[in-house]
Amino acid sequence: MESTLSDIVSPFLHKLSLEFLNLTPSEIQVANLVKFGKTTKEIAQILNLSGKTIEFYRKSIRKNH
């Protein structure tokens, strides 16, 4: 299921990242989850990453915009 979801979302994220050249696909993914009100902890669980990694992405997103 995760692979299928990745296959579906990946082209979308790539296209979106071209529109926002300053953001990586991972940053766009985090920004989208933030937009839906997810906390750092929830995003970390969803993306199977550490909270520190999510904080890094959030800081980078704020710095770029």
Side-chain angles (χ1 to χ4, degrees):
M1 184 169 143
E2 186 176 326
S3 175
T4 302
L5 181 60
S6 180
D7 290 343
I8 293 169
V9 173
S10 184
F12 172 74
L13 288 177
H14 179 69
K15 181 180 177 191
L16 203 53
S17 68
L18 291 177
E19 292 177 27
F20 299 99
L21 293 176
N22 293 336
L23 297 178
T24 67
S26 295
E27 290 169 342
I28 293 169
Q29 202 171 22
V30 169
N32 190 45
L33 291 167
V34 168
K35 181 177 80 173
F36 287 108
K38 299 295 184 189
T39 66
T40 295
K41 185 176 180 179
E42 290 170 328
I43 296 169
Q45 290 173 340
I46 291 167
L47 299 180
N48 198 32
L49 297 170
S50 75
K52 296 249 185 220
T53 300
I54 302 306
E55 285 297 330
F56 175 82
Y57 287 143
R58 290 178 76 136
K59 183 176 180 181
S60 179
I61 292 165
R62 286 191 297 269
K63 190 183 335 177
N64 287 326
H65 287 74

